[in-house]
Amino acid sequence: MANSPESSRKRARAADRQLRHSQAAESPRGMTTRSRTQSIANLAAKAARTESSQSAGQQQRRSAMATRADNGSEADSAETGVPEADHADHADSGSNSGGDEGVEDDVLTVDIIRDAKSDDELLAKLSLVFSDPCTLARSFPQADAVLASDCPVDVVAVRRAYNIIFSRASEKVLDDLRMLTIGAVSMLNSEPCDEHTNQMNAVLILLLNPKISEYTLPSTGAYLFSDLCSAILGQPPAQRSALMRYFTIDDGVCADAQPSPSAGSPPAKRDAQDTYSPVASGTSPSAQTSERDGKSTPFGRYVAMFQSYITREVNRAARSTLQAAANANGTAPAEQTTQKVSLYMLSGGNSSGNGNASNPNGHALPVVAQCLALMNNYNNAHAVVPYSAFYNSAVNEHIDIKEDVPRFRMPDGLSFCSYPFLLSPTTKSEIIRIESVILMRTELQDSFFRAMFSGVTCPYLVLEVRRDSLVRDTLYQLELKLSQDLRKQLKVRFVGEEGVDEGGVQKEFFQLIVRDVFAPKYGIFKANDESQYHWFSPQSDLSKDTLEEIRLTGQLIGLAVYNAVILDIHLPPAMYKKLLGVPVTRDDLRDVDPALHHGLMQLLRLSAEDLEFLDRTFEVEYDNVGELRTFELIPNGAQTPLTTSNRELFIDKYVEFVFDKSCESQFLAFKSGFDRICGASYVRFMRPRELELLVCGCSDLDFAALEGSTIYDGGYAKTTKVIQYFWQVVSEFTDELKRKLLFFATSSDRVPIGGLSKLHFVIAKNGGDSDRLPTSHTCFNVLLLP
């Protein structure tokens, strides 16, 4: 086959690509040198002469195989009308990746790499394949027909091939492999492939190189990895989706067995084990903190590979910025100082709008993040790894929120906020807080300007309520407020009571009104006795007043989020899913009604005779304020019996009834109230679980974290005996007593998102030694100890 016309044509095409590639090296985008390319071409010619000296019997066998292959392809083309080049794209999917039989001799397999008898022969093989993305895409074909339908590349074979290369080859070969890889990526970005429709095969093979994230361009020093990401983004959507699917294929990382060398082959060097992870070598521990979830899966390892690039560049930028600030001040960089950076600064700008050339790789961060966005979208649809695998610890540690949030609001602004999957719930909650502060400040300024022309205008959203008519007073006053008034800072006054609301009064207000709204007497929500979650009571023909009360409830939750108040409410995860437009599932019914969920799942285990005995139809009964009513799940449901063939449909329709049909008007009113406050905020980029944490806080009572973050004032310090005794006693409290202490000091027993370390808690000295009991300023979270 080495001397066949088809093989000669492909060699000529590869040589032509090498020539064009060497010419491109003179341009700024060139990634190799002419001399390097010519040397590789010379090695290829030398290898061809070596092949021509093979035994006559072997050449005859290869010629016969080539003749059969050519005749077969011509016959297939004549019969099917498919061009021969298209046959070549798919012919290898059923070939044997472990040997040369049935595989074109200008593609790579494990045996070809393992059987190379010298560096020159190995380099010649690599140069022929890497100089043509089409040939690279056909390399390492998957022999298993079932696996080939999911991924045409044998990723286990690719991993083993790279292991062989990096364990045996000389430094010169490894350096030439780097240059060949750079050239292949350059061609993927600049030249459309006219013979192979799936260049993602070549991209996958390049990504499996354990050094791919370390290769740099000779001219600029920028990392090649971003150019490879550009090649991914440049492909059609169908090809990008295919690559995401390829990422889920077993890559053999846990397999430590390697095929033994064939007879006559030199023994393999064992400088490296035959195990390999796509995660780039040199990944720092900090890069693996937030992304460790899911690394046991192939998809998770690819996620970690892209994360490692972002982590490295963010940390590099933070260190250089800290050093630059220290140099400007003439001091050494402060230890344990977290330097904040923005994506705009990393991408070549700074706060003054001037370019920043100190980091040639920063401009590529958005490209890498967009590739991670593709993976995140695929993971959202298929749940391959936990979504926390996409949190990036370096971004969350160093993000300059005050800089990024305003730029995010610009039409074309560069901001980490554009990639919410990278951000942890704590960071997102801080973004929402900064958003609220900016809007409150804007409304405060506008109020002063409006007062100059249209009279006195209150700069705050003031609610004056009576304790015995809390819901009615609040509903009446919110109805009179304009949308711009709702964006002002909230101030609450209880009629007949003195005091200025600096935060503590509004906490008490939300606690009281939420308790009233969710009380059974209002009939808006119904709590399940087993799960204790509240869900809408099924009602039809709701009055306007009832819908307004439901809308008020949504507004109250939105106001609490906007004013950073944590609520003591128990809404199921399905509520947060529906607020964010995420579809609910059968499993969500377990939280709303565990008994109903269990009963519906039991239907899947019943036999046809059991279902016939139940005598059920596609009709459900529900309690409508004491009146028993029925609802048909499908048209003519009362006459449609439940059978084994339609029970899946019955369950799906029942779940739809619980979450949609039975409470459609209630939920729409609730959501309209919530969206009136939070519809345009960063809340819409949160996940359901993150929104739940934002509204209700977390349940982790880690008082050791609270002790570590507490601020001391008035003469107290961490080493003061009174303080040491205080924490010693608190550490022995039960969870109930700890919650009471939180409520006493902050007027809320809820833990903020991110844990108690995020709570601004102050312990101050209350005068001299005395017999007075501890007191507190709940508005400022200050505990006063005598």
Side-chain angles (χ1 to χ4, degrees):
M1 188 172 182
N3 298 324
S4 65
E6 174 67 13
S7 178
S8 299
R9 184 183 70 82
K10 292 179 178 178
R11 291 181 186 277
R13 185 180 71 244
D16 181 62
R17 286 186 182 274
Q18 289 174 353
L19 179 60
R20 283 181 290 166
H21 177 59
S22 63
Q23 293 172 347
E26 299 173 0
S27 65
R29 290 287 297 175
M31 299 182 185
T32 60
T33 62
R34 183 183 299 275
S35 59
R36 177 61 56 85
T37 306
Q38 289 175 346
S39 66
I40 293 175
N42 292 336
L43 289 173
K46 179 180 178 181
R49 290 195 299 270
T50 302
E51 290 181 0
S52 65
S53 63
Q54 293 175 338
S55 63
Q58 188 175 13
Q59 287 200 18
Q60 291 177 358
R61 180 177 63 82
R62 290 184 175 270
S63 298
M65 291 171 55
T67 302
R68 289 195 298 270
D70 292 340
N71 293 339
S73 62
E74 292 173 0
D76 291 342
S77 299
E79 180 178 348
T80 63
V82 179
E84 181 180 351
D86 289 345
H87 278 290
D89 290 346
H90 306 285
D92 292 333
S93 61
S95 61
N96 184 1
S97 62
D100 291 339
E101 295 238 4
V103 179
E104 298 176 73
D105 67 341
D106 61 348
V107 302
L108 285 179
T109 65
V110 174
D111 285 354
I112 288 176
I113 292 177
R114 184 175 56 227
D115 294 344
K117 296 179 173 58
S118 65
D119 284 351
D120 289 347
E121 183 178 350
L122 174 60
L123 186 55
K125 292 289 186 182
L126 294 175
S127 64
L128 284 174
V129 174
F130 278 77
S131 61
D132 182 5
C134 300
T135 306
L136 181 61
R138 289 194 298 271
S139 296
F140 304 102
Q142 177 57 255
D144 190 306
V146 176
L147 295 178
S149 63
D150 292 328
C151 179
V153 178
D154 188 346
V155 292
V156 176
V158 177
R159 179 187 65 80
R160 290 176 176 172
Y162 277 121
N163 259 345
I164 294 172
I165 293 173
F166 282 97
S167 62
R168 298 181 184 178
S170 64
E171 291 297 327
K172 180 180 182 301
V173 173
L174 297 182
D175 187 55
D176 286 334
L177 174 63
R178 177 179 65 88
M179 301 303 297
L180 287 168
T181 302
I182 292 174
V185 173
S186 177
M187 286 184 283
L188 284 171
N189 276 299
S190 60
E191 298 183 13
C193 181
D194 56 355
E195 297 185 17
H196 200 78
T197 59
N198 190 356
Q199 295 193 31
M200 286 306 182
N201 295 359
V203 171
L204 179 62
I205 293 173
L206 294 174
L207 279 173
L208 284 166
N209 185 334
K211 299 291 185 179
I212 188 64
S213 65
E214 300 177 14
Y215 289 164
T216 57
L217 305 182
S219 57
T220 64
Y223 283 101
L224 175 67
F225 192 74
S226 61
D227 284 1
L228 186 56
C229 291
S230 297
I232 295 174
L233 297 175
Q235 297 299 314
Q239 298 302 323
R240 296 198 298 262
S241 299
L243 182 64
M244 299 302 106
R245 188 175 68 253
Y246 298 167
F247 285 167
T248 64
I249 303 301
D250 181 20
D251 55 7
V253 168
C254 296
D256 51 12
Q258 179 174 331
S260 59
S262 58
S265 300
K269 296 180 181 179
R270 288 301 173 185
D271 296 337
Q273 296 180 350
D274 187 24
T275 56
Y276 159 65
S277 170
V279 180
S281 60
T283 303
S284 63
S286 62
Q288 303 176 12
T289 301
S290 294
E291 301 83 42
R292 63 184 182 274
D293 294 337
K295 281 190 177 181
S296 60
T297 65
F299 190 85
R301 287 187 284 272
Y302 286 105
V303 171
M305 179 198 299
F306 287 81
Q307 292 277 31
S308 66
Y309 180 93
I310 296 176
T311 297
R312 179 179 60 200
E313 296 311 314
V314 170
N315 285 333
R316 188 198 307 272
R319 288 193 300 269
S320 63
T321 305
L322 185 62
Q323 183 64 54
N327 293 339
N329 297 329
T331 59
E335 296 183 1
Q336 298 179 350
T337 299
T338 301
Q339 179 64 40
K340 300 298 183 180
V341 296
S342 66
L343 185 58
Y344 174 73
M345 183 191 72
L346 287 170
S347 301
N350 52 39
S351 58
S352 61
N354 299 323
N356 179 12
S358 61
N359 183 10
N361 301 294
H363 71 279
L365 277 180
V367 179
V368 180
Q370 289 172 37
C371 286
L372 261 180
L374 294 176
M375 304 177 72
N376 177 68
N377 293 337
Y378 183 88
N379 189 65
N380 289 340
H382 300 87
V384 185
V385 297
Y387 62 77
S388 58
F390 289 88
Y391 295 155
N392 188 286
S393 57
V395 172
N396 287 287
E397 179 182 0
H398 296 292
I399 180 175
D400 188 351
I401 297 179
K402 294 181 180 179
E403 173 76 15
D404 266 33
V405 170
R407 292 199 173 276
F408 174 67
R409 300 172 67 87
M410 299 178 182
D412 300 321
L414 281 173
S415 172
F416 280 119
C417 300
S418 301
Y419 308 100
F421 53 87
L422 294 174
L423 307 178
S424 67
T426 304
T427 303
K428 290 175 182 174
S429 68
E430 185 65 15
I431 291 173
I432 294 171
R433 188 188 69 81
I434 295 295
E435 274 187 334
S436 301
V437 170
I438 293 174
L439 290 175
M440 290 176 184
R441 186 178 301 156
T442 302
E443 289 300 326
L444 183 63
Q445 294 172 351
D446 291 346
S447 296
F448 287 120
F449 282 112
R450 284 194 294 267
M452 295 172 60
F453 300 100
S454 59
V456 179
T457 302
C458 182
Y460 301 105
L461 172 61
V462 179
L463 297 178
E464 294 189 9
V465 296
R466 296 167 295 179
R467 289 184 179 270
D468 57 352
S469 185
L470 203 57
V471 175
R472 184 183 300 275
D473 290 350
T474 304
L475 176 61
Y476 175 75
Q477 294 181 53
L478 287 179
E479 283 181 332
L480 301 178
K481 300 298 183 182
L482 301 175
S483 296
Q484 62 191 29
D485 294 327
L486 297 176
R487 292 195 293 268
K488 299 176 181 178
Q489 184 179 356
L490 177 64
K491 297 288 186 180
V492 178
R493 297 174 184 168
F494 287 104
V495 176
E497 299 182 17
E498 296 182 358
V500 178
D501 185 8
E502 295 294 341
V505 179
Q506 66 178 252
K507 290 179 185 178
E508 183 184 6
F509 163 76
F510 278 111
Q511 180 188 16
L512 295 175
I513 195 169
V514 164
R515 184 180 60 189
D516 287 349
V517 168
F518 284 86
K521 65 179 181 179
Y522 280 96
I524 299 176
F525 294 95
K526 182 180 180 181
N528 184 270
D529 295 335
E530 184 176 350
S531 67
Q532 296 302 312
Y533 280 120
H534 290 80
W535 189 249
F536 298 107
S537 299
Q539 298 181 41
S540 57
D541 304 326
L542 292 172
S543 65
K544 182 180 178 180
D545 291 341
T546 302
L547 290 176
E548 282 298 319
E549 290 179 354
I550 297 175
R551 190 170 65 89
L552 166 66
T553 306
Q555 280 190 358
L556 287 172
I557 295 178
L559 281 173
V561 171
Y562 186 72
N563 289 272
V565 178
I566 302 175
L567 301 178
D568 184 14
I569 59 177
H570 302 279
L571 294 174
M575 180 67 80
Y576 303 101
K577 283 187 175 183
K578 289 175 68 66
L579 286 174
L580 296 174
V582 178
V584 295
T585 64
R586 296 177 181 178
D587 291 337
D588 293 314
L589 186 61
R590 182 186 294 111
D591 300 314
V592 175
D593 194 335
L596 176 60
H597 176 268
H598 176 75
L600 291 178
M601 294 302 101
Q602 286 294 108
L603 292 178
L604 299 176
R605 302 182 178 90
L606 298 180
S607 63
E609 293 78 9
D610 294 333
L611 290 177
E612 183 178 2
F613 177 77
L614 286 178
D615 193 24
R616 286 296 302 266
T617 62
F618 277 68
E619 188 179 41
V620 296
E621 296 180 346
Y622 66 96
D623 181 15
N624 183 61
V625 195
E627 179 184 356
L628 192 62
R629 295 190 179 183
T630 60
F631 179 84
E632 290 187 334
L633 299 178
I634 59 175
N636 198 30
Q639 284 75 41
T640 305
L642 175 63
T643 63
T644 55
S645 60
N646 62 18
R647 56 185 172 186
E648 293 279 356
L649 177 63
F650 177 83
I651 295 174
D652 291 337
K653 290 297 182 180
Y654 207 130
V655 172
E656 181 183 356
F657 167 76
V658 173
F659 289 121
D660 297 326
K661 302 297 184 181
S662 68
C663 59
E664 184 175 8
S665 59
Q666 296 100 306
F667 176 75
L668 290 177
F670 182 86
K671 188 176 188 300
S672 68
F674 182 81
D675 288 345
R676 190 183 181 192
I677 310 297
C678 298
S681 73
Y682 202 74
V683 167
R684 65 188 186 275
F685 296 106
M686 302 190 81
R687 299 178 184 273
R689 174 57 180 163
E690 295 170 342
L691 179 56
E692 182 180 4
L693 290 173
L694 182 67
V695 173
C696 304
C698 62
S699 58
D700 185 16
L701 291 174
D702 186 3
F703 267 65
L706 179 63
E707 179 181 357
S709 62
T710 297
I711 300 172
Y712 302 97
D713 195 11
Y716 278 150
K718 188 176 182 179
T719 57
T720 306
K721 285 293 184 180
V722 173
I723 299 299
Q724 292 178 349
Y725 293 151
F726 171 80
W727 289 116
Q728 181 179 352
V729 172
V730 169
S731 65
E732 300 175 358
F733 279 2
T734 62
D735 286 350
E736 182 180 0
L737 288 177
K738 289 179 179 178
R739 291 193 180 278
K740 288 183 178 180
L741 174 61
L742 281 178
F743 185 82
F744 176 79
T746 68
S747 77
S748 173
D749 62 355
R750 311 301 297 174
V751 179
I753 187 172
L756 286 174
S757 62
K758 302 299 180 181
L759 179 66
H760 181 77
F761 187 63
V762 180
I763 298 181
K765 190 173 184 178
N766 189 11
D769 295 337
S770 66
D771 296 332
R772 286 185 295 180
L773 296 174
T775 56
S776 65
H777 295 312
T778 57
C779 295
F780 307 102
N781 299 337
V782 177
L783 177 64
L784 299 173
L785 296 180

